[in-house]
């Protein structure tokens, strides 16, 4: 089932407020959590756990489904960024595990492929070395696994989180409208899980389908179909919230291309292949999102859309190491403070839009220079005795080292 066409849209209702969250991996989660805490505490009348419509793609699907389950953005910061104990840990090092069955499948095909390659060797050589090399690459492609990582640990962590008292892993039991967007890889169609008729799978399974980045995770099977990252067709899918009648849609997108012309700024071109690929993907999807946002003004003239993103010249969201707890803490706090500054700089524009929906900016909160999201003195290793003290000392030493390196990079 694909996303409902515009003809099936609900009328725009100024009192219906939606939240649309894009993807961005584990770093995107850290950035979005920090930004959302700043947004919620600075806009009076806004409760992110009481929205009318939630739309999530990839990493944004994780946050959207948590908020729809009543888990506040500050609570998410403690669970994901501070690694506070509440069920399983969401540390990337714990939920990113090699997909061993996929590798085993590839190895089983190795013998047959090798035998066939030897039998066709002279034929390939007769056709020319370049042709032989190309054919060999094509055949070798079947040896590659469909995904490097297994998403099952992440799904089981989500199921445990949503299985706690007062929460649910069932779309049909949620108070609000939750839509988790994925892509059917065999038809290239976009699917919004949670829509009537497509709400009978666990939320946790829909989230990992939406988060299955091709090449990193194998497609996720739901009702016999294979699904991958929902960002393949669109970045954020704010249109889903608009079609559900939202008069105001608050959007967060952590994936922006990096752009800086400062002489001492880090350069993508010298940061290695992963950085080059990341910049290419970010550039393509951000351009596509910009076009989509401009189109919404014509397709839904009665609705307001408010978008929050990192600054394009901000290196923290682009170069941060997602496996470092201290780096995720720093990025989350950074997103919180930068979003507060963004709210202040856009106060006139945002004030007018928010007022149409019964919301307003709290200038007392915004102008408080002492506000922080995370306590810098937080100890992430609460174990007693010498081991706990040693881990605390090591953790803070690594924090200081990471911060020093970041300051040196920025000059």
């Amino acid at each position: 089932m694909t996303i409902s066409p515009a003809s099936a849209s609900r009328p725009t209702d100024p009192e219906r407020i939606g939240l649309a969250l894009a993807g961005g991996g584990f770093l995107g989660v850290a950035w979005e959590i920090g930004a959302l805490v700043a947004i919620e505490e600075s806009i009076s009348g806004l409760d992110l756990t009481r929205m009318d419509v939630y739309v999530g793609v990839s990493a944004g699907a994780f946050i959207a489904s948590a908020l729809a389950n009543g888990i506040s953005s500050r609570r998410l910061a403690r669970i994901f960024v501070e690694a506070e104990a509440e069920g399983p840990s969401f540390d990337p090092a714990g939920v990113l595990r090699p997909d061993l069955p996929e590798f085993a499948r590839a190895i089983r095909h190795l013998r047959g492929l090798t035998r066939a390659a030897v039998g066709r060797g002279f034929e390939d050589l007769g056709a020319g070395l370049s042709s032989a090399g190309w054919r060999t690459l094509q055949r070798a492609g079947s040896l590659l696994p469909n995904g490097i990582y297994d998403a099952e640990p992440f799904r089981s962590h989500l199921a445990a989180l949503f299985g706690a008292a007062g929460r649910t892993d069932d779309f049909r039991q949620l108070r609000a409208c939750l839509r988790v967007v994925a892509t059917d890889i065999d038809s290239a169609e976009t699917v919004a899980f949670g829509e009537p008729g497509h709400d009978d799978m666990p939320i946790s399974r829909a989230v990992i389908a939406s988060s299955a980045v091709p090449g990193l995770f194998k497609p996720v099977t739901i009702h016999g179909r294979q699904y991958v990252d929902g960002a393949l067709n669109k970045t954020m899918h704010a249109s889903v919230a608009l079609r559900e009648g939202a008069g105001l849609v608050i959007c967060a997108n952590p994936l922006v291309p990096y752009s800086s012309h400062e002489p001492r700024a880090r350069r993508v071109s010298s940061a290695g292949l992963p950085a080059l690929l990341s910049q290419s993907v970010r550039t393509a999807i951000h351009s596509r999102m910009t076009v989509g946002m401009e189109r919404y003004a014509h397709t839904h003239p009665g609705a307001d859309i408010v978008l929050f993103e990192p600054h394009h010249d901000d290196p923290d969201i682009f170069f941060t190491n997602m496996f470092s707890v201290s780096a995720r803490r720093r990025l989350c706090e950074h997103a919180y403070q930068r979003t507060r500054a963004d709210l202040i700089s856009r106060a006139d524009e945002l004030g007018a839009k928010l007022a149409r929906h019964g919301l307003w900016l709290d200038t007392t909160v915004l102008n408080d220079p002492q506000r922080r999201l995370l306590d810098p003195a937080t100890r992430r290793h609460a174990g007693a005795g010498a081991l706990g003290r040693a881990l605390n000392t090591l953790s803070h030493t690594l924090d200081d080292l990471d911060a020093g390196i970041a300051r040196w990079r920025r000059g």
Side-chain angles (χ1 to χ4, degrees), residues 342-392:
D342 192 18
L343 286 161
I344 292 173
S345 68
R346 299 166 59 187
D348 292 341
E349 166 216 341
L350 294 177
K353 288 185 177 182
L354 295 173
R356 291 196 284 269
H357 307 279
L359 306 174
W360 64 95
L361 288 175
D362 188 333
T363 54
T364 301
V365 171
L366 282 174
N367 293 321
D368 181 359
Q370 302 302 317
R371 278 189 174 266
R372 291 184 59 88
L373 169 57
L374 305 174
D375 182 358
T378 297
R379 300 284 181 173
R380 291 182 300 284
H381 301 285
L387 177 58
R389 289 192 297 272
L391 290 173
N392 282 330

Side-chain angles (χ1 to χ4, degrees), residues 102-342:
E102 272 298 300
F103 283 99
R105 178 197 63 79
I107 292 172
R108 284 197 301 271
H109 287 80
L110 177 60
R111 180 177 299 176
L113 179 66
T114 302
R115 186 182 298 114
V118 171
R120 287 190 295 262
F122 291 108
E123 176 187 342
D124 286 345
L125 288 175
L129 289 176
S130 59
S131 175
W134 178 245
R135 291 184 185 183
T136 300
L137 285 175
Q138 286 181 307
R139 293 165 188 155
S142 64
L143 286 177
L144 297 176
N146 286 336
I148 298 173
Y149 295 111
D150 181 6
E152 181 57 27
F154 184 41
R155 189 209 61 76
S156 63
H157 283 40
L158 282 177
L161 183 66
F162 298 156
R167 303 173 190 162
T168 181
D169 199 21
D170 189 331
F171 284 102
R172 297 162 295 189
Q173 294 181 17
L174 288 172
R175 176 197 62 82
C177 168
L178 171 65
R179 302 291 182 256
V180 173
V181 182
T183 303
D184 184 324
I185 194 62
D186 290 310
S187 68
E189 292 179 336
T190 299
V191 178
F193 292 116
E195 287 187 339
H198 250 248
D199 53 4
D200 58 343
M201 74 291 301
I203 296 172
S204 57
R205 189 152 193 84
V207 170
I208 65 167
S210 178
S211 306
V213 178
L216 291 181
F217 296 94
K218 69 179 179 182
V220 175
T221 303
I222 297 179
H223 297 331
R225 304 294 297 180
Q226 303 292 309
Y227 295 96
V228 296
D229 197 330
L232 263 63
N233 286 320
K234 283 186 179 180
T235 307
M236 194 158 46
H237 293 279
S239 60
V240 175
L242 294 171
R243 283 197 280 268
E244 292 292 340
L248 170 66
V249 182
I250 297 172
C251 305
N253 171 46
L255 285 181
V256 299
Y258 178 65
S259 175
S260 179
H261 300 285
E262 294 294 327
R264 299 190 62 182
R266 292 193 68 183
R267 294 183 178 275
V268 176
S269 57
S270 60
L273 180 59
L276 290 173
L277 294 176
S278 177
Q279 179 78 323
S280 300
V281 170
R282 288 165 182 256
T283 301
I285 66 176
H286 193 266
S287 174
R288 185 178 60 191
M289 187 199 71
T290 301
V291 172
M293 296 291 284
E294 293 173 350
R295 186 167 57 246
Y296 296 151
H298 301 287
T299 58
H300 296 82
D304 288 309
I305 300 177
V306 179
L307 173 65
F308 294 91
E309 295 181 315
H311 291 188
H312 289 254
D313 62 352
D314 187 343
D316 285 326
I317 185 64
F318 194 88
F319 293 107
T320 298
N321 174 14
M322 71 174 178
F323 290 100
S324 167
V325 175
S326 62
R328 292 202 304 277
R329 296 182 77 251
R330 188 173 63 250
L331 176 60
C332 192
E333 181 69 39
H334 178 75
Y336 172 78
Q337 298 297 349
R338 291 297 290 264
T339 303
R340 282 169 47 82
D342 192 18

